[in-house]
Amino acid sequence: MAGNSKRRGATRNAGSKKGATVGTGGHGRKALEGKGPTPRAEDRPNHKAYKAKKKAEAEAAKRPQGKGRVTPRDRTSSSNELAIGRNSVLEALRMGVPATTLLVFNRIDADDRVTEIVSLAVENSVPVREVAKATLDGLAGGSPHQGVALEVPPYEYADPEDFLDERGPIAVLDGIQDPRNLGAIMRSAAAFGAAGIVIPERRAAGVTVAAWKVSAGAAARLRVARATNITRTLEAYKKAGRFVIGLDAGGEVDLHESQLLDGPLVIVVGSEGDGISRLVRETCDQIVSIPIGEVESLNASVAASIALYEAGRRLG
């Protein structure tokens, strides 16, 4: 009986919380072991680093997303343009492109270009900011920035009516897509005394850093206007007493034979691939062509330059 009593006691102890049980020794040893490495500060909810991390993540979530990468427009001012890379930034500063901020990698390996970039920025009172590489990576959107980027404000466009009282010809670009072509036309228009350039508000190249650079500084001397509707703008110019000619390889008359170049003039240049659109073509007083040899066609900016030169020569 005594033995049975001990067994019953052992059974009761096994069911109690404080009683010893078979195999608990291993658990006791584990309790003496540490809880692992201390979490990083940014992973501890009560730490200020954790709160700072969460705040940064929330701000990042508000930015425009594009394939998981910050786009070039996600910069200190979303309306600004951005020149990226040492050559591009240096050329922009040399050409006098108006700039708001020069961003420089805070650990950049400076060469002659970087030295001149910073010097030009300082000379022209452009603020210089040192930033982390991650900041430039995000702004460049994957493009090689070489440690520098230049922010420039958006171009201030004129109104098409602003050119009516000017003596020189007005160049109207019907859908030029390449900003380099726009820049080249700006350069020729300024050189040959044009009153200004009109471009569409949509589906056309605007006055960006690329256009400004190709213009070789002409953007600072020549005004560019935006029109909501090119056809209506041309009709308004015609009512104001200007003749409208369109450039096309299959024109009604050669450029040098046109009699319309002797008076107040508007020259319409079509897009690189499609040329002048139908409605714009129908609005023109005359379609003229530039006689060429065996070459199939001229680049839009080259054709515009020739026409602007001829019109300027006629005006004297």
Side-chain angles (χ1 to χ4, degrees):
M1 293 295 295
N4 290 337
S5 176
K6 288 180 181 179
R7 281 194 295 273
R8 283 195 299 271
T11 302
R12 284 196 299 271
N13 288 338
S16 66
K17 292 183 179 179
K18 296 183 179 179
T21 58
V22 177
T24 60
H27 295 293
R29 284 195 297 271
K30 285 186 178 180
L32 296 176
E33 295 177 1
K35 295 182 179 180
T38 302
R40 294 178 300 177
E42 61 184 27
D43 294 331
R44 301 206 299 268
N46 294 325
H47 199 283
K48 63 180 182 180
Y50 175 86
K51 296 176 182 178
K53 174 185 174 184
K54 289 299 180 183
K55 182 180 179 180
E57 290 175 350
E59 291 176 352
K62 295 178 183 178
R63 298 185 188 129
Q65 300 296 312
K67 298 182 180 180
R69 176 178 287 168
V70 181
T71 67
R73 291 192 176 273
D74 181 27
R75 49 184 70 105
T76 56
S77 175
S78 59
S79 62
N80 282 0
E81 291 289 338
L82 197 69
I84 302 171
R86 300 185 185 188
N87 287 337
S88 295
V89 170
L90 182 55
E91 288 176 21
L93 288 170
R94 283 175 174 173
M95 292 299 175
V97 175
T100 56
T101 310
L102 172 64
L103 305 173
V104 182
F105 173 38
N106 55 12
R107 295 182 181 178
I108 193 169
D109 183 14
D111 58 10
D112 291 341
R113 290 174 298 172
V114 173
T115 300
E116 185 177 354
I117 285 169
V118 175
S119 297
L120 288 172
V122 172
E123 288 175 12
N124 292 282
S125 300
V126 178
V128 180
R129 283 180 49 200
E130 291 189 352
V131 296
K133 182 176 180 296
T135 299
L136 287 171
D137 289 343
L139 295 176
S143 300
H145 52 73
Q146 299 176 305
V148 291
L150 185 70
E151 286 190 350
V152 300
Y155 182 80
E156 294 184 10
Y157 292 94
D159 187 281
E161 293 184 1
D162 294 343
F163 305 146
L164 285 175
D165 296 330
E166 301 290 337
R167 182 169 179 266
I170 300 171
V172 175
L173 312 186
D174 184 22
I176 294 292
Q177 300 289 328
D178 191 338
R180 293 169 297 183
N181 277 337
L182 172 58
I185 295 172
M186 291 168 66
R187 186 173 184 176
S188 297
F192 302 133
I197 293 176
V198 178
I199 62 175
E201 280 191 356
R202 296 184 236 176
R203 295 186 292 276
V207 185
T208 60
V209 173
W212 188 291
K213 285 193 305 178
V214 175
S215 77
R221 307 189 305 273
L222 181 84
R223 292 179 298 169
V224 177
R226 265 183 170 169
T228 55
N229 187 295
I230 292 295
T231 301
R232 285 202 294 265
T233 298
L234 292 176
E235 290 172 348
Y237 283 154
K238 291 172 69 173
K239 288 179 182 178
R242 286 185 177 257
F243 292 112
V244 178
I245 65 169
L247 300 181
D248 188 89
E252 306 157 8
V253 61
D254 286 346
L255 175 67
H256 65 280
E257 296 176 347
S258 173
Q259 300 301 313
L260 301 185
L261 274 68
D262 299 329
L265 187 67
V266 176
I267 301 173
V268 181
V269 183
S271 65
E272 294 91 344
D274 300 327
I276 302 174
S277 59
R278 181 181 61 82
L279 290 177
V280 171
R281 187 185 185 96
E282 292 173 357
T283 308
C284 293
D285 293 308
Q286 189 179 64
I287 302 298
V288 303
S289 59
I290 298 172
I292 55 178
E294 298 180 358
V295 181
E296 287 187 12
S297 62
L298 296 174
N299 175 276
S301 64
V302 174
S305 298
I306 294 172
L308 287 165
Y309 166 75
E310 183 65 18
R313 187 183 68 83
R314 297 279 187 96
L315 286 176

